[in-house]
Amino acid sequence: QVQLVESGGGLVQAGGSLRLSCAASGRTFSTYVMGWFRQGPGKEREFVAGISTSAGITHYAESTKGRFTISRDNAKNTVYLRMNSLKPEETAVYYCAAGRLFLSRLPGDYDHWGQGTQVTVSS
């Protein structure tokens, strides 16, 4: 079992940057594939970025590739999402999630979720 707590959200102007953090409890964090998802107003939850257990492999949604960077520090039980060049349409609640299925982009494949952190991008 792992519990996840996101932080780092806030209000930023279009073109700005934020770094989200997700702190995990428990001693099994390094055994989980981690992902970031987001859910905007009236929208379905969508995949943003994912990272393998050892951080050796990352993958991104096409819309975030080149602007977002996912990373993890297993010694600190934390996964990060650096977001650059943010756009107003990326206003959403951002969630981190832990799962076992390598490279999955489906929310249903992730077993544990944080409560989310709000990111608002103003135009």
Side-chain angles (χ1 to χ4, degrees):
Q1 187 79 1
V2 62
Q3 293 183 323
L4 305 172
V5 179
E6 302 95 335
S7 62
L11 175 64
V12 63
Q13 290 187 332
S17 298
L18 280 176
R19 189 179 82 154
L20 306 182
S21 299
C22 172
S25 64
R27 292 178 289 180
T28 60
F29 172 74
S30 63
T31 68
Y32 284 94
V33 169
M34 298 299 296
W36 283 97
F37 291 78
R38 65 189 178 192
Q39 188 165 14
K43 298 180 180 179
E44 293 187 353
R45 192 166 298 190
E46 65 174 352
F47 172 80
V48 173
I51 190 166
S52 62
T53 54
S54 64
I57 297 175
T58 58
H59 59 126
Y60 298 90
E62 283 300 314
S63 61
T64 63
K65 197 176 296 183
R67 297 184 299 118
F68 290 16
T69 302
I70 187 171
S71 60
R72 68 189 295 167
D73 185 338
N74 286 341
K76 295 182 178 179
N77 278 13
T78 303
V79 63
Y80 306 96
L81 183 68
R82 175 70 179 183
M83 305 184 293
N84 295 329
S85 302
L86 282 161
K87 305 172 182 180
E89 57 265 35
E90 295 181 307
T91 293
V93 177
Y94 283 70
Y95 300 89
C96 70
R100 298 293 190 186
L101 195 59
F102 185 57
L103 293 180
S104 174
R105 299 177 177 223
L106 300 176
D109 288 335
Y110 288 78
D111 305 310
H112 306 286
W113 292 81
Q115 83 290 346
T117 186
Q118 176 70 45
V119 172
T120 302
V121 186
S122 63
S123 57

